[in-house]
Amino acid sequence: MLNKIKKYLSDNTGYLIRLDDIAENMNWNMMDQTTSLFDKFNIKPVLGVIPNNKDPELLSYPKKKENFWQQVHKWKNKGWEIAMHGNNHVYDKFCKKIDYLSQGGNTEFCTHSYENQLKKIEMGLEKFSKENMKIKIFFAPNHTFDSNTLLALKKSGINEIIDGYGLMPYEEKGIKFIPQLFYKIFALPFGIQTFQIHLNYYDQNDFENLKKFVELNSKKIITYTEAVSKINNNLFFKLTRIFTKKILQIKRLF
Ligand SMILES: [Zn+2]
């Protein structure tokens, strides 16, 4: 019995690493160090690539000499998962807590008309397809999207989002959601969690912390395919979604 419980817990505990704001302009020094670390431990993260980055803040980071899209193909060929992170990452609206996850804030998508959102998503996908890349996963800048975003994504053939509440991937409105709870690396003892990492804001100290975490937990770090295979819509996990939503809405604590 105890062994069965142990097996259940270990089968349903895993960490997925999501690197945000991957674009031509970024903190390449941190990206290079992180790449070596992940290669050493055979970690395969998800990269949130911004196809047409026009975010003034992100554009202030340096470019690399090497062609960016060749680099994206290299990551993909290693088995890293490539997701679309918005289209241009420009926050052209602010939404109150009427977005899908009820968080509110600056947004590229939320409160835009369906037609507008569809255009944004199509522009992003066009860039990927020009670079010979097929995309099936999306996550919005600043977590802000609404039901029109979901409709526009489905219309464009995207049915998977890395965001949302709870302890286990789930399906809702025809979309697969892989939950993303905390801003910092904060490992819960149970559940499938996504760690959101912004290397642009990393200093050497942050990197050392990430390194320590990876060294200690590399066996629990899973791939995107493993995460999505854990989709579970049962009542217990539905309740954990409601519970984590309530807690994180009070304040994004981590
Ligand atoms: Zn972002």
Side-chain angles (χ1 to χ4, degrees):
M1 182 66 184
L2 196 63
N3 277 346
K4 266 193 179 166
I5 295 172
K6 269 189 186 164
K7 189 177 175 337
Y8 178 79
L9 290 178
S10 86
D11 282 353
N12 290 289
T13 304
Y15 313 132
L16 176 67
I17 294 184
R18 184 186 106 175
L19 300 182
D20 286 29
D21 299 341
I22 302 299
E24 270 180 299
N25 298 74
M26 63 176 182
N27 187 341
W28 284 103
N29 169 27
M30 279 300 150
M31 189 64 191
D32 291 343
Q33 291 189 60
T34 305
T35 302
S36 310
L37 174 69
F38 287 175
D39 286 347
K40 187 173 165 194
F41 290 91
N42 197 28
I43 307 273
K44 295 176 171 45
V46 179
L47 302 183
V49 173
I50 307 166
N52 296 300
N53 180 25
K54 295 208 168 59
D55 181 325
E57 192 200 320
L58 297 178
L59 287 173
S60 68
Y61 289 94
K63 274 188 188 177
K64 220 182 191 182
K65 276 195 193 105
E66 191 183 356
N67 178 285
F68 174 68
W69 289 96
Q70 275 173 13
Q71 177 63 70
V72 179
H73 275 284
K74 272 189 200 165
W75 288 321
K76 193 176 162 56
N77 291 340
K78 283 201 279 197
W80 294 18
E81 199 69 48
I82 308 298
M84 176 160 112
H85 180 43
N87 172 43
N88 60 18
H89 208 280
V90 172
Y91 299 133
D92 51 9
K93 284 202 180 223
F94 179 87
C95 68
K96 291 192 177 158
K97 295 187 174 184
I98 50 160
D99 57 300
Y100 199 73
L101 301 177
S102 314
Q103 293 188 31
N106 289 326
T107 185
E108 183 184 351
F109 291 91
C110 186
T111 69
H112 276 281
S113 68
Y114 167 75
E115 290 74 21
N116 234 339
Q117 297 204 42
L118 185 62
K119 213 182 287 168
K120 284 169 182 262
I121 287 160
E122 281 174 350
M123 275 168 76
L125 288 176
E126 222 169 85
K127 176 65 182 164
F128 280 107
S129 118
K130 208 179 129 207
E131 302 296 342
N132 282 320
M133 215 161 273
K134 205 171 157 16
I135 291 295
K136 60 173 185 177
I137 313 159
F138 173 87
F139 57 90
N142 204 26
H143 308 272
T144 42
F145 57 96
D146 58 20
S147 49
N148 279 332
T149 323
L150 302 187
L151 291 175
L153 286 169
K154 282 194 275 188
K155 172 91 180 154
S156 312
I158 295 184
N159 306 301
E160 297 172 32
I161 288 182
I162 305 176
D163 221 331
Y165 299 107
L167 297 179
M168 203 54 74
Y170 58 98
E171 207 162 335
E172 201 171 71
K173 296 194 190 282
I175 299 267
K176 291 170 180 166
F177 289 89
I178 317 296
Q180 197 286 308
L181 298 180
F182 307 117
Y183 285 156
K184 290 194 176 149
I185 292 183
F186 181 76
L188 294 172
F190 174 66
I192 303 295
Q193 293 175 258
T194 309
F195 295 135
Q196 174 194 43
I197 292 177
H198 284 100
L199 289 178
N200 283 340
Y201 310 135
Y202 260 40
D203 59 23
Q204 206 55 41
N205 199 29
D206 296 318
F207 178 76
E208 294 306 322
N209 287 337
L210 173 66
K211 194 172 153 205
K212 262 182 233 155
F213 178 81
V214 169
E215 284 165 355
L216 284 172
N217 296 286
S218 66
K219 288 202 168 64
K220 286 192 205 144
I221 300 176
I222 57 175
T223 64
Y224 179 80
T225 311
E226 287 169 316
V228 84
S229 77
K230 297 287 178 190
I231 285 205
N232 194 325
N233 271 17
N234 78 21
L235 183 63
F236 170 73
F237 289 118
K238 210 171 191 173
L239 292 174
T240 69
R241 288 208 287 285
I242 296 167
F243 182 67
T244 52
K245 183 174 182 177
K246 282 270 173 286
I247 289 190
L248 291 174
Q249 268 180 338
I250 296 168
K251 197 177 193 302
R252 272 264 177 183
L253 293 168
F254 302 98

